[in-house]
Amino acid sequence: MSQRISLTRYLVEQQRMEGHIPSQLRLLLEVVARACKGISQAVNKGALGGVLGTAGSENVQGEMQKKLDIIANEVLIEANEWGGHLAAMASEEMDDIYVVPNRYPQGEYLLLFDPLDGSSNIDVNVSIGTIFSVLKKPEGDNSVDETDFLQAGRQQVAAGYCVYGPQTTLVLTVGDGVAMFTLDREQGSFVLTDENIRIPEDTQEFAINMSNMRHWDEPVKRYIDECLQGKTGPRGKDFNMRWIASMVADVHRILTRGGVFLYPWDKREPEKAGKLRLMYEANPMSWLVEQAGGAATNGKQRILDLKPGKLHERVSVMLGSKNEVERVTAYHQV
Ligand code: P6P
């Protein structure tokens, strides 16, 4: 059997050979991975752990929180607050940033996360996941506030997700390609199972919530309609469709076999730029996709170039196989 490389060894070798990962960032990534193992355990218990169903509260998005949303959020906070690698954290489940308490040393990194993406799938046993993004705290005074987080996605120093599906798989980039680690539950460690992941530039598979079709803008309607026309239409080939309603699972499929994912702006809430959140969903996923040779735009601009105005800002998302993203983006220019 080929030698098994653990996440720890991978990160140490990346640090030693590539110089990509300062020791504090390596510690941060190890802590996040350990937290994801804990979340995976909680998710896997399901009804036996009394963790299904709603918590009876709403998050900053006005969405009903599931018990596991809160558990996952707490696991990430408690795992990361004492290590000395972070100045503060931000989460989909918390209105404001969480500044590392004074009783712990402050570090130079900012950690953002959607602790459990795809919550609507928890109770029906469909894949969900944790998405995370790491920024450096801007130089300057020791205090930290929300404005320190408002950096474009191209400023990220690490990004990844952990998908809790048939396997528990951690996918990570520090700016030198994308690597995948599968959790070996017998050893209790993540093992490298794929690296230098590449997304095919072309695809015949799109992911979108078709029930929103009547609300889409014309360029998206045109793009999807041409896909649906298949071989006899302008695309000259048939397309398949997938929609898991867990961004983590849809993006994992795209990183594994290609595809294009769209959650575009629509007329249901025209004042909102989209449904997905820029800072802790679109930015980390867009960087992973770009690092694997794909593309990610909001229909008009590269997502990683967007300068956020507020922490929980939403954005229209089109990402995946490069040629498809470029096509649907071009339709927005006409
Ligand atoms: P819809 C999950 O709630 C999420 O934020 C993404 O993970 C997912 O892609 C999307 O929303 C699903 O939205 O409207 O299809 O339920």
Side-chain angles (χ1 to χ4, degrees):
M1 182 169 89
S2 65
Q3 200 174 37
R4 291 156 64 98
I5 295 179
S6 68
L7 173 67
T8 300
R9 177 174 168 184
Y10 175 86
L11 292 174
V12 165
E13 290 177 350
Q14 280 285 318
Q15 181 184 0
R16 183 188 311 138
M17 290 186 292
E18 310 290 337
H20 271 285
I21 311 183
S23 56
Q24 285 297 300
L25 181 57
R26 180 161 64 81
L27 168 63
L28 189 165
L29 294 171
E30 295 245 38
V31 170
V32 168
R34 201 160 39 248
C36 288
K37 273 194 288 189
I39 295 169
S40 174
Q41 296 287 47
V43 165
N44 284 173
K45 284 203 180 88
L48 299 177
V51 294
L52 300 183
T54 60
S57 50
E58 281 189 357
N59 65 17
V60 63
Q61 327 286 343
E63 294 164 339
M64 188 57 76
Q65 288 178 304
K66 298 286 181 113
K67 287 177 191 166
L68 271 170
D69 282 325
I70 295 177
I71 292 168
N73 194 62
E74 286 166 358
V75 167
L76 283 158
I77 297 280
E78 288 161 18
N80 280 285
E81 64 177 349
W82 49 267
H85 49 280
L86 287 183
M89 293 178 248
S91 164
E92 181 190 69
E93 301 307 331
M94 300 187 298
D95 297 10
D96 304 313
I97 66 167
Y98 179 86
V99 178
V100 168
N102 291 333
R103 63 183 179 279
Y104 300 125
Q106 280 233 339
E108 59 181 328
Y109 294 105
L110 303 174
L111 177 64
L112 303 93
F113 45 84
D114 178 355
L116 209 55
D117 171 67
S119 307
S120 62
N121 282 323
I122 293 173
D123 296 354
V124 294
N125 199 12
V126 169
S127 298
I128 49 185
T130 297
I131 309 172
F132 62 92
S133 169
V134 184
L135 296 167
K136 281 201 77 172
K137 178 176 169 295
E139 302 293 326
D141 61 34
N142 286 333
S143 70
V144 56
D145 63 28
E146 183 171 309
T147 57
D148 292 313
F149 283 80
L150 303 183
Q151 302 175 40
R154 64 175 180 272
Q155 301 297 325
Q156 293 174 98
V157 293
Y161 62 81
C162 192
V163 53
Y164 312 117
Q167 302 96 42
T168 288
T169 304
L170 181 76
V171 179
L172 179 65
T173 186
V174 292
D176 186 28
V178 178
M180 242 177 230
F181 303 83
T182 302
L183 180 61
D184 175 345
R185 292 193 187 282
E186 287 159 12
Q187 301 289 324
S189 59
F190 281 103
V191 177
L192 181 67
T193 42
D194 205 343
E195 58 181 327
N196 303 322
I197 288 161
R198 304 303 291 170
I199 299 176
E201 293 195 345
D202 293 302
T203 182
Q204 290 178 241
E205 191 162 70
F206 66 87
I208 196 166
N209 184 336
M210 289 296 288
S211 70
N212 299 327
M213 179 180 262
R214 66 189 182 283
H215 305 302
W216 298 335
D217 218 350
E218 288 311 313
V220 174
K221 282 183 183 172
R222 174 187 171 191
Y223 174 75
I224 296 296
D225 185 50
E226 289 179 353
C227 290
L228 294 174
Q229 289 181 51
K231 222 189 264 19
T232 60
R235 302 303 309 274
K237 58 184 181 179
D238 290 337
F239 280 76
N240 189 23
M241 194 211 94
R242 286 285 182 274
W243 187 249
I244 304 174
S246 280
M247 185 185 197
V248 175
D250 282 313
V251 170
H252 192 73
R253 185 190 58 254
I254 288 169
L255 281 168
T256 306
R257 71 184 192 209
V260 60
F261 169 99
L262 302 95
Y263 211 116
W265 170 92
D266 69 46
K267 302 185 181 82
R268 287 176 296 169
E269 295 183 286
E271 73 288 353
K272 289 180 181 173
K275 171 176 184 183
L276 302 181
R277 293 79 176 181
L278 175 60
M279 297 298 297
Y280 40 78
E281 287 178 333
N283 275 343
M285 292 309 206
S286 298
W287 197 29
L288 285 163
V289 163
E290 285 198 3
Q291 281 288 310
T297 76
N298 64 357
K300 297 185 172 65
Q301 268 181 280
R302 181 182 179 232
I303 283 178
L304 294 182
D305 287 338
L306 297 175
K307 179 76 172 72
K310 50 186 193 298
L311 189 61
H312 298 290
E313 184 162 319
R314 294 170 184 267
V315 67
S316 178
V317 178
M318 297 159 209
L319 60 76
S321 292
K322 193 169 185 309
N323 293 340
E324 291 303 313
V325 175
E326 288 178 355
R327 173 184 288 266
V328 65
T329 302
Y331 289 178
H332 285 75
Q333 317 309 324
V334 296

